[in-house]
Amino acid sequence: MKKGIVFFGPPGSGKGTQSILLSDRLNIPLVAMGQLLRTEVVQNTSLGKKIEDSLKRGEYLSTSDVMEVLKIQLDKFPDAWVILDGVPRSIEQAEAVEQYAFSGFLCIEAVVFLQISPEKVWDRIRNRLSCVHCQKDYCHKVDLCSNCGSKEFSKRSDDKEEVVLRRLNVFNEKIRSIFDFYNEQKKVYLIQADRDVEEVYSDIIACILPLMKK
């Protein structure tokens, strides 16, 4: 059975940055749902065409669409630890992922909840750019994408102010039910995310390593 570490938090909280750090430094596969879905849109796949408008409006996708992409990605990895960024994002998705545990496919072991002030969210998102070719995000100016080597960057379509506000509202509507769902299982680790990247990572690794050593 695969063991999952979920990164959860509002837009701009650093989920992508921290999940990539953890993945690279501990050599754990990463499923970055937002990046995967944006790639579907860029590649103009059947799913990409279906979800493009919803992504641009900052809306959550249907559970069935998200679980379809998740299952395809998880099937690529062996039964070991895996990091999930951007899924689950609703109680319906959390319950769907929970079904994987019953089938012996995936069990969520930890939920890293990144807390951050709305002011810091806006500050980060205003400066965020995405690689045109692989959709990797950067919260600061870079000349070369470290993932694919591209020099082309653009603002994400869902980083427009009105879309970000909508995404924050949707997140705040859904946050309590998901938090309670995993907190009742004693799997939530609260991390203050409006600090230096390495400081945040240090707190995360202090929570995760003991779990991995069990």
Side-chain angles (χ1 to χ4, degrees):
M1 181 186 293
K2 298 173 179 65
K3 297 181 178 181
I5 303 168
V6 173
F7 275 81
F8 191 63
S13 60
K15 297 186 299 295
T17 297
Q18 293 298 334
S19 60
I20 289 171
L21 273 179
L22 193 66
S23 174
D24 288 347
R25 293 180 181 180
L26 298 186
N27 195 29
I28 302 174
L30 167 63
V31 177
M33 185 58 65
Q35 183 175 332
L36 290 170
L37 295 174
R38 290 191 295 275
T39 298
E40 293 284 335
V41 172
V42 170
Q43 294 179 349
N44 203 32
T45 65
S46 57
L47 177 60
K49 295 175 183 176
K50 180 180 177 182
I51 65 177
E52 182 174 11
D53 288 341
S54 293
L55 287 181
K56 286 182 178 178
R57 291 192 297 267
E59 299 171 352
Y60 280 13
L61 304 181
S62 72
T63 297
S64 60
D65 287 340
V66 172
M67 298 309 292
E68 175 187 344
V69 175
L70 178 61
K71 181 66 164 60
I72 291 172
Q73 292 302 311
L74 289 176
D75 279 338
K76 299 177 181 179
F77 307 129
D79 284 349
W81 288 88
V82 62
I83 299 168
L84 305 182
D85 169 21
V87 60
R89 296 179 70 186
S90 68
I91 189 61
E92 293 80 15
Q93 291 179 17
E95 290 172 344
V97 171
E98 191 75 2
Q99 293 302 311
Y100 284 162
F102 296 130
S103 63
F105 184 61
L106 168 71
C107 179
I108 301 302
E109 298 288 345
V111 175
V112 178
F113 195 105
L114 299 178
Q115 297 178 300
I116 186 171
S117 67
E119 294 76 19
K120 190 66 174 179
V121 166
W122 286 112
D123 182 51
R124 288 182 176 179
I125 288 179
R126 286 190 190 100
N127 296 316
R128 184 159 67 182
L129 293 173
S130 180
C131 174
V132 170
H133 294 278
C134 72
Q135 284 69 61
K136 181 176 180 179
D137 291 331
Y138 294 89
C139 290
H140 53 84
K141 188 179 184 303
V142 295
D143 296 320
L144 192 71
C145 177
S146 61
N147 186 51
C148 71
S150 171
K151 296 182 179 180
E152 298 181 75
F153 301 89
S154 66
K155 292 292 291 181
R156 282 170 39 175
S157 61
D158 58 350
D159 273 353
K160 296 177 182 177
E161 186 168 339
E162 65 274 15
V163 178
V164 172
L165 183 59
R166 188 179 304 119
R167 290 172 65 204
L168 284 171
N169 288 336
V170 171
F171 175 81
N172 289 330
E173 289 172 4
K174 308 229 179 226
I175 182 175
R176 176 50 58 186
S177 57
I178 302 177
F179 181 89
D180 289 345
F181 181 81
Y182 286 113
N183 198 42
E184 289 174 1
Q185 302 178 43
K186 302 187 184 304
K187 294 180 177 179
V188 174
Y189 296 86
L190 293 174
I191 305 292
Q192 198 60 40
D194 53 356
R195 298 174 294 155
D196 176 78
V197 169
E198 290 297 336
E199 289 182 45
V200 176
Y201 178 78
S202 179
D203 282 357
I204 293 172
I205 201 69
C207 299
I208 298 303
L209 280 184
L211 289 176
M212 298 184 69
K213 292 177 179 178
K214 286 184 178 179

